[in-house]
Amino acid sequence: MKLLILAGGFGTRLQSILPETPKALAPIGGVPFLAFQLEHWIAQGINSFVFLLHHQADQIERFLNQSKAELLRNCEVFSLIEPVPMDTGGAVAYAIHKLGLEGDFLVTNADTWLGSGVAELTVSRAPAMAIVRRDNASRYGQVKFDDTKTVTAFVEKNAVDAPGWINAGIYRLRADMFRNWNGLSFSLEKKAFPDWVKQGELQAIALKTDFIDIGVPEDYQRFCRWVESGRMDKLCN
């Protein structure tokens, strides 16, 4: 199944420590974060990638070109540079339009490490969202769902520390769900997902796995420490 990778954001939260580097290429012991991601996605059976780019796109394309001889040697790789920032939903719709995509595909964030999820989404039906449970979900906001694993609501981020299920940042979607796109930018999280919830269509795929969003300095540094200490296997269990 094709994997669309959202890698066009400005990375504003991480710019305080990595002002000249896109989040996807944040160095982990001298190795770009994206190299770890690609190796992990390939190990889960993905060999077709579409990178959705905008900010600092040239750096990511340079890395992809350098990786084609080894890491990506058996993979199909496309990249698209948005003419203007399209947000997450607009980026996906733009790719569908430009590449003529049909049927189902996966979408994920370039800056979110997830120990598993590809296999579980491959046997789900679109639209589906992977979720993970956090002891403190206040930073992310919560995903509510019923006994049939149908998403019923999203709870906004708040200052109250409480456990809950959160959006894990990987989805199974379908091209025809974007057929009415008007060419403008829009957010999957703020627009598309709430619409699909109202229609009773969005499924929650609960994962018991490691999750880390390196988009904030403290979690980026935590990921660095795990890798440097040789505990990479902890991220994959």
Side-chain angles (χ1 to χ4, degrees):
M1 187 173 291
K2 196 178 296 295
L3 177 64
L4 277 60
I5 299 113
L6 296 162
F10 289 88
T12 52
R13 295 175 298 175
L14 208 57
Q15 284 183 353
S16 61
I17 58 174
L18 295 173
E20 305 299 329
T21 305
K23 286 187 295 183
L25 299 184
I28 313 293
V31 178
F33 180 68
L34 188 53
F36 290 101
Q37 290 278 57
L38 284 166
E39 185 175 20
H40 191 46
W41 290 327
I42 291 168
Q44 294 179 80
I46 299 294
N47 59 15
S48 181
F49 301 96
V50 179
F51 286 85
L52 311 181
L53 310 176
H54 180 71
H55 182 61
Q56 297 174 316
D58 58 327
Q59 293 189 46
I60 296 176
E61 288 198 314
R62 188 180 309 119
F63 166 80
L64 294 174
N65 287 330
Q66 293 170 347
S67 301
K68 287 180 179 178
E70 294 293 336
L71 182 58
L72 295 170
R73 62 186 177 277
N74 296 317
C75 297
E76 177 185 62
V77 182
F78 297 95
S79 63
L80 286 176
I81 301 177
E82 304 158 20
V84 296
M86 303 298 293
D87 210 334
T88 52
V92 172
Y94 183 73
I96 292 170
H97 174 75
K98 284 293 183 181
L99 299 178
L101 301 182
E102 297 180 349
D104 288 16
F105 50 83
L106 303 181
V107 179
T108 193
N109 298 317
D111 60 350
T112 301
W113 173 274
L114 198 60
S116 65
V118 169
E120 293 86 345
L121 283 166
T122 299
V123 297
S124 69
R125 64 172 178 80
M129 165 190 289
I131 59 174
V132 291
R133 188 168 177 81
R134 301 282 89 187
D135 291 336
N136 180 5
S138 61
R139 166 182 154 190
Y140 307 95
Q142 294 189 38
V143 180
K144 300 294 186 179
F145 54 92
D146 62 21
D147 292 341
T148 69
K149 295 298 195 305
T150 300
V151 178
T152 56
F154 296 105
V155 178
E156 293 294 326
K157 302 175 186 179
N158 57 63
V160 179
D161 294 351
W165 292 90
I166 68 168
N167 178 356
I170 186 168
Y171 323 107
R172 179 172 182 158
L173 304 178
R174 194 173 62 247
D176 64 15
M177 304 180 77
F178 297 82
R179 70 164 68 94
N180 296 323
W181 181 52
N182 61 6
L184 301 178
S185 65
F186 73 97
S187 167
L188 285 174
E189 297 82 358
K190 295 178 181 179
K191 174 59 180 172
F193 292 153
D195 285 350
W196 295 333
V197 166
K198 290 177 183 177
Q199 296 161 13
E201 294 184 351
L202 186 60
Q203 296 296 301
I205 308 300
L207 305 177
K208 293 182 178 179
T209 192
D210 290 291
F211 166 91
I212 185 166
D213 172 7
I214 70 157
V216 295
E218 56 267 32
D219 279 348
Y220 161 63
Q221 292 162 348
R222 179 156 60 96
F223 191 91
C224 289
R225 291 194 298 270
W226 282 357
V227 173
E228 291 167 359
S229 67
R231 294 168 59 196
M232 194 65 185
D233 59 328
K234 178 177 175 57
L235 298 175
C236 304
N237 293 335

